[in-house]
Amino acid sequence: MFWTPSAPASAWVDDPRTPALVHEHHVRAAAARGPGHVAPAWIGVSFAVGRAGRRRTGAALSAWLRGHEHLRSSLVPAPGRCLRRTLPACAVTLRQEDVGVFADGASVRRQIEAFFDRNARPLGWPHVVFATVHGADGTTVFAGADHGVMDGYTLAMIPGQIRDALEGRAEDPAGPTYLDFGAEERNLIRRLPAGPEHTAPWRTLLGDTRGGTPAFPLPLGASEVPDTQRSAYRWLLDGRAAAGFAAASRAAGGTTAAGLLACLALAAAGVSGERHLSVISLANARPGMWRSAPGWFVGLHPVRIPADPGADFAGTVALAAAELRRRAPGPGSSLPHISRMLRREIHPRFVVSYLDVRRVPGTPPQPGDTMLRSRIHGPAEVYVWLTRSDRGVHLSVRFPDTAVARANVERFVRAAAHTATRAADGHRAEALPAPA
């Protein structure tokens, strides 16, 4: 089944709240490409909800959608700005489409992917659509959304919220919403202290790369012309090993995030001889009062971690922890603000993101919940997503679909995994009592 939000044209009302900088930038970039340009860039999540019938599932999806006003809103590009229009919750319904019965999962996946490609777009409305698969084992829900209204943190919250709605436990979201954040963001930025200390880390990072953003430390065999990107997935550490790795990172004065960055730095040094890991880090940038709000709250941070080929894990973790402490989370770390602050466009090429889904507010994710993303056409760029859950640490990476990139990204990931495993095993060995 496909489920598409719908509303009468007469229900839309003008909304004076200004958009978040990153969402406005996203929409204006899509408008500049033109309505005929098709470049899917949605993100999504799939999760099982047991033996929920279609009527009950549809009611839960409707209740969830109506409860989040930023999903009932749209930005309309206009000269020099974007105009916001918003729907009242009562105006939103879900249109159902019975797609059919399929004998294999691959056919279902192709149908859902094409549906998300067509409908989860930056321009127009809706920004989020759903598909459900009803099989012998129960119902699986797929949600796909334009990236402009969601980030990975939001995706991790969705399964628990919809499961709560199915069980009648859904509550009206409390506190300010993403639309309120957009209106407040500029005030927050104006109150930030001004000074070169905010631009110096970025200028250092960009100076090291001769004006560009950091690149992946090995050749990719790709041009700067957007081309097909490939994805790879790997469990770096299972649950028990992840606990040992976290303890080893703490013993070195850092967090799991610092420990994983140390592994990437040591991997870069080992496979390429680079003496620094230079990368742009993505992080949750929600101010405190928006901690539970869905939306796109992502901050960019320059990261530069020294690591010689012979450096040890503990020392590199300490350096990574110091680097993470220097970065300032919050609205001053959005891509448009950084570009304005530096007076130049920033185009990230090598990016690392870390998300601990165990810290997401609300009903926690379940082991089978899976984050999704569209197929991407991009230039010579590499994105690495590291996710910590009760099951362990999972790595997802996208990169140019060339033979050179496939081989070199695999070398890099294998080296990082080896370092992480050694750190976890070493801590477990230290924790064991010495033989009598």
Side-chain angles (χ1 to χ4, degrees), residues 28-44:
R28 291 176 66 82
R33 292 191 293 266
H37 182 84
V38 179
W42 51 262
I43 58 176

Side-chain angles (χ1 to χ4, degrees), residues 90-111:
C90 61
V92 178
T93 59
L94 278 179
R95 186 175 66 251
Q96 302 177 42
E97 180 185 352
D98 193 340
V99 183
V101 178
F102 297 84
D104 64 279
S107 299
V108 176
R109 285 193 296 273
R110 285 194 294 270
Q111 291 282 337

Side-chain angles (χ1 to χ4, degrees), residues 346-429:
I346 298 297
H347 300 285
R349 293 186 297 170
F350 183 29
V351 177
V352 173
S353 169
Y354 173 75
L355 174 64
D356 188 340
V357 298
R358 301 171 306 162
R359 301 180 182 276
V360 170
T363 302
Q366 294 182 5
D369 299 351
T370 303
M371 293 188 185
L372 313 169
R373 65 174 178 268
S374 64
R375 299 177 192 271
I376 296 289
H377 284 71
E381 58 189 27
V382 175
Y383 276 62
V384 178
W385 292 272
L386 296 157
T387 305
R388 174 78 162 96
S389 68
D390 288 332
R391 297 177 65 190
V393 175
H394 185 263
L395 179 146
S396 173
V397 58
R398 70 169 173 87
F399 51 91
D401 191 9
T402 68
V404 173
R406 288 194 295 271
N408 282 337
V409 170
E410 172 60 23
R411 283 179 62 203
F412 176 77
V413 170
R414 192 166 56 241
H418 177 69
T419 302
T421 301
R422 284 186 62 190
D425 289 345
H427 185 82
R428 286 205 297 258

Side-chain angles (χ1 to χ4, degrees), residues 41-44 116 120-121 127-129 143-150 155:
W42 51 262
I43 58 176
F116 287 177
R121 307 281 293 278
H127 298 304
V128 59
V129 292
D146 172 55
H147 206 334
V149 296
M150 286 190 192
L155 292 181

Side-chain angles (χ1 to χ4, degrees), residues 66-364:
R66 290 168 180 161
H68 295 297
E69 67 169 359
H70 81 289
L71 302 178
R72 298 184 270 105
S73 190
S74 183
L75 292 182
V76 181
R81 57 177 178 157
C82 284
L83 305 176
R84 181 174 294 287
R85 309 198 77 206
T86 303
L87 291 164
C90 61
V92 178
T93 59
L94 278 179
R95 186 175 66 251
Q96 302 177 42
E97 180 185 352
D98 193 340
V99 183
V101 178
F102 297 84
D104 64 279
S107 299
V108 176
R109 285 193 296 273
R110 285 194 294 270
Q111 291 282 337
I112 294 173
E113 182 178 33
F115 175 62
F116 287 177
D117 285 351
R118 292 191 304 270
N119 295 284
R121 307 281 293 278
L123 302 176
W125 188 84
H127 298 304
V128 59
V129 292
F130 309 94
T132 54
V133 177
H134 306 265
D137 296 329
T139 297
T140 301
V141 175
F142 296 78
D146 172 55
H147 206 334
V149 296
M150 286 190 192
D151 54 17
Y153 193 88
T154 301
L155 292 181
M157 289 192 284
I158 291 175
Q161 291 176 347
I162 292 180
R163 288 183 181 118
D164 286 348
L166 278 166
E167 298 301 323
R169 296 193 301 265
E171 299 180 0
D172 290 336
T177 71
Y178 188 51
L179 301 193
D180 299 317
F181 171 76
E184 178 66 13
E185 182 181 22
R186 288 161 178 82
N187 292 331
L188 294 171
I189 288 174
R190 278 195 293 270
R191 292 199 292 267
L192 290 175
E197 65 274 13
H198 297 289
T199 59
W202 280 104
R203 296 195 188 283
T204 298
L205 192 76
L206 300 179
D208 286 349
T209 54
R210 297 181 182 179
T213 55
F216 186 69
L218 291 169
L220 297 171
S223 68
E224 292 302 316
V225 177
D227 206 346
T228 303
Q229 291 247 312
R230 185 182 184 89
S231 293
Y233 310 90
R234 177 175 182 148
W235 282 99
L236 289 186
L237 302 163
D238 62 20
R240 185 176 178 184
F245 181 83
S249 299
R250 286 194 301 271
T255 60
T256 298
L260 291 170
L261 280 174
C263 291
L264 299 182
L266 293 170
V271 301
S272 71
E274 292 281 352
R275 295 186 175 273
H276 289 86
L277 174 71
S278 294
V279 66
I280 291 176
S281 168
L282 300 183
N284 176 27
R286 284 166 170 77
M289 63 191 305
W290 280 275
R291 179 175 178 270
S292 301
W296 191 11
F297 300 86
V298 174
L300 276 66
H301 307 278
V303 171
R304 190 173 184 271
I305 302 171
D308 292 327
D312 69 326
F313 175 76
T316 309
V317 171
L319 294 170
E323 184 74 356
L324 292 183
R325 283 192 293 270
R326 279 194 290 271
R327 69 187 190 184
S333 57
S334 71
L335 174 63
H337 177 67
I338 291 166
S339 294
R340 291 179 189 178
M341 186 172 62
L342 297 174
R343 299 180 181 178
R344 54 170 296 178
E345 287 293 322
I346 298 297
H347 300 285
R349 293 186 297 170
F350 183 29
V351 177
V352 173
S353 169
Y354 173 75
L355 174 64
D356 188 340
V357 298
R358 301 171 306 162
R359 301 180 182 276
V360 170
T363 302

